[in-house]
Amino acid sequence: MSELIIDDAKLRPIADKVLAGERLSFDDGLALYRTPDLLALGWLANHSRERRHGNVCYFNVNRHINPTNVCVAHCKLCAFGRDPNAPGAYTFALEEIWQRAEQGVREGATEFHLVGGLHPDLPFEYFLDLMRGLKQRCPGVHLKAFTMVEVGYFSRIAKLSIRDTLLALQAAGVDSLPGGGAEIFSPRVRKVICDHKVSGQQWLNIARAAHQIGLRSNATMLYGHIETEEERVEHLLALRALQDETRGFVAFIPLAFHPENTGLAHLPKPTGFDDLKAIAVSRLLLDNFDHIKAYWIMLSPSIAQIALRFGADDLDGTVAEEKIYHDAGATTAQFTPRAELERLIRQAGRVPVERDTLYRPVDRSKMPPPAARSDATLSIIV
Ligand code: V47
């Protein structure tokens, strides 16, 4: 590893802590966000990353499925949600989702990532049936489904406790929960960007309840809108505290805000500097999270690749049919073939390892060769 050169003297005591493997404080987190010394910050994050993962970089072969974009929440941050009769509103028929999922299996998917809008009329049973049907038809595929926000909504419409809602989802086939909907836990920020969603505290309580019944989950932070550096550090430290308690989080994904077509379209996009800092600071503050994802869809493949030397150890997946960022103006592809992910990883000097959702290596030699990707998109509206 190259030598650490520190230009910002404020980073020196933090570097000593990182090198000694000591936990960083709130003030350390703030200093990391505030430093212009991106290279020293990146060096430290890379040090932590290599201590944990050496030269390996993970990716997976997955498919995103968004059953509906109809949503009652009307979050200012979101360009995906629609009113029921608005142009572009859709809800897919279960049979069509199942067929598309089976195509995903033929193409080698080991994970389905399912999230959607908070639909005013679809009953909880629709989502349970969706899971049962997927498990029956695609038994080998990991179902990473429904954010804490959706779980909170299901519990309301089904009049069940959070725990019973999670138990019903688990019994229907949900294997783990994605990390979305966390945004920024600060009530001040949530009031503006996602007023009708569960509160930050409720998000954490639902994650805790999921972990308590054996459902692992991811966690995210949406940055680059109206949040302060203090609010980012508070968010990360709340996640770190819950992880100390449950050890249920698998990976953390910093999500760069895309303003286009949202209620916050006047805001500038986060810069490459912001993106690399977000990755590096999360690696350093979240000392009890194994995996930090550089989600290429939102970062762009170029920044995601550089992030592999700023603390990230995972590029996420092939994805296929991403909608949430693309409705918000993302210009990245909606799909990247595994060969391209492997090329990006190798070029960054890392060794690509295909993983499943829980980061076990996937051995393709024991599986049928994946079929070529079909470009057909879901079409049946119910
Ligand atoms: O919950 C919504 C965010 C999330 C916008 O768990 C926006 O493995 C930016 O959570 N600009 C969905 N972000 C994505 C997500 C995710 C992605 C990849 C992997 C995993 C995982 C989770 O995207 C939402 C919200 O926080 N979002 N709108 C927007 N305009």
Side-chain angles (χ1 to χ4, degrees):
M1 208 173 176
S2 61
E3 200 189 333
L4 170 60
I5 299 168
I6 299 183
D7 291 332
D8 178 1
K10 291 200 188 92
L11 291 187
R12 254 173 232 294
I14 302 177
D16 290 342
K17 282 191 184 175
V18 172
L19 295 175
E22 282 173 33
R23 179 158 272 198
L24 300 185
S25 66
F26 178 88
D27 288 341
D28 295 334
L30 217 47
L32 292 175
Y33 270 124
R34 291 191 174 153
T35 185
D37 195 353
L38 185 65
L39 290 186
L41 171 62
W43 191 99
L44 292 169
N46 192 46
H47 176 81
S48 292
R49 178 238 189 268
E50 290 190 356
R51 198 162 47 196
R52 222 177 252 271
H53 299 292
N55 227 4
V56 162
C57 172
Y58 297 98
F59 70 97
N60 75 345
V61 178
N62 63 349
R63 174 166 283 271
H64 282 215
I65 301 175
N66 306 117
T68 179
N69 66 353
V70 174
C71 189
V72 293
H74 298 117
C75 297
K76 267 209 173 128
L77 70 93
C78 179
F80 172 71
R82 301 276 190 288
D83 282 327
N85 299 315
Y90 73 83
T91 300
F92 294 130
L94 292 178
E95 191 56 49
E96 173 103 0
I97 299 180
W98 293 328
Q99 282 172 22
R100 197 77 189 104
E102 284 172 323
Q103 176 60 25
V105 175
R106 288 192 286 277
E107 292 167 10
T110 61
E111 167 190 285
F112 295 139
H113 173 133
L114 292 116
V115 296
L118 309 181
H119 196 296
D121 306 316
L122 283 178
F124 187 34
E125 254 333 286
Y126 167 93
F127 297 95
L128 296 176
D129 283 346
L130 169 58
M131 291 297 118
R132 290 185 198 111
L134 286 173
K135 250 314 165 232
Q136 195 192 353
R137 289 165 176 81
C138 317
V141 177
H142 184 108
L143 302 182
K144 184 180 71 173
F146 308 123
T147 63
M148 311 310 160
V149 175
E150 289 161 280
V151 173
Y153 185 68
F154 294 154
S155 107
R156 254 179 54 204
I157 60 171
K159 298 189 174 47
L160 292 172
S161 68
I162 294 291
R163 185 183 164 83
D164 286 344
T165 306
L166 286 162
L167 285 168
L169 290 168
Q170 190 178 37
V174 169
D175 294 303
S176 72
L177 277 66
E183 321 312 0
I184 288 273
F185 295 139
S186 148
R188 179 194 77 85
V189 176
R190 289 182 99 77
K191 206 165 167 21
V192 178
I193 69 170
C194 56
D195 198 14
H196 303 296
K197 259 186 191 165
V198 292
S199 69
Q201 195 52 55
Q202 283 167 326
W203 191 99
L204 290 161
N205 290 344
I206 296 170
R208 178 184 291 106
H211 299 171
Q212 281 168 348
I213 64 160
L215 282 172
R216 309 284 307 273
S217 81
N218 289 337
T220 57
M221 177 177 76
L222 184 72
Y223 65 90
H225 41 90
I226 60 157
E227 84 289 3
T228 63
E229 284 151 347
E230 284 86 350
E231 285 160 341
R232 287 184 197 169
V233 176
E234 279 162 10
H235 183 99
L236 293 176
L237 295 193
L239 290 173
R240 187 172 80 181
L242 183 55
Q243 179 74 328
D244 275 345
E245 193 187 318
T246 66
R247 297 280 154 182
F249 290 118
V250 181
F252 175 75
I253 310 111
L255 297 170
F257 180 56
H258 279 243
E260 231 174 277
N261 304 324
T262 73
L264 300 165
H266 59 285
L267 294 177
K269 274 187 187 168
T271 62
F273 212 81
D274 296 327
D275 293 336
L276 292 174
K277 265 193 178 180
I279 295 278
V281 177
S282 50
R283 167 60 75 194
L284 290 168
L285 280 189
L286 296 178
D287 55 16
N288 51 7
F289 276 65
D290 279 336
H291 302 288
I292 306 291
K293 281 189 198 180
Y295 183 39
W296 64 266
I297 287 260
M298 118 229 151
L299 289 176
S300 81
S302 317
I303 295 280
Q305 187 188 39
I306 300 169
L308 300 185
R309 303 209 79 89
F310 277 75
D313 62 288
D314 185 3
L315 275 190
D316 197 66
T318 48
V319 177
E321 288 184 43
E322 201 289 329
K323 292 187 198 305
I324 295 173
Y325 279 101
H326 287 83
D327 282 357
T331 52
T332 48
Q334 282 181 292
F335 166 75
T336 285
R338 66 173 291 147
E340 176 60 8
L341 287 179
E342 287 178 329
R343 190 181 74 85
L344 290 171
I345 293 169
R346 283 212 179 85
Q347 224 190 34
R350 302 298 191 197
V351 178
V353 171
E354 184 184 344
R355 59 156 179 96
D356 67 10
T357 311
L358 300 177
Y359 288 82
R360 293 168 299 213
V362 171
D363 183 359
R364 287 274 162 198
S365 68
K366 299 193 181 93
M367 299 177 180
R373 193 175 119 74
S374 146
D375 272 332
T377 47
L378 292 164
S379 57
I380 296 182
I381 311 288
V382 291

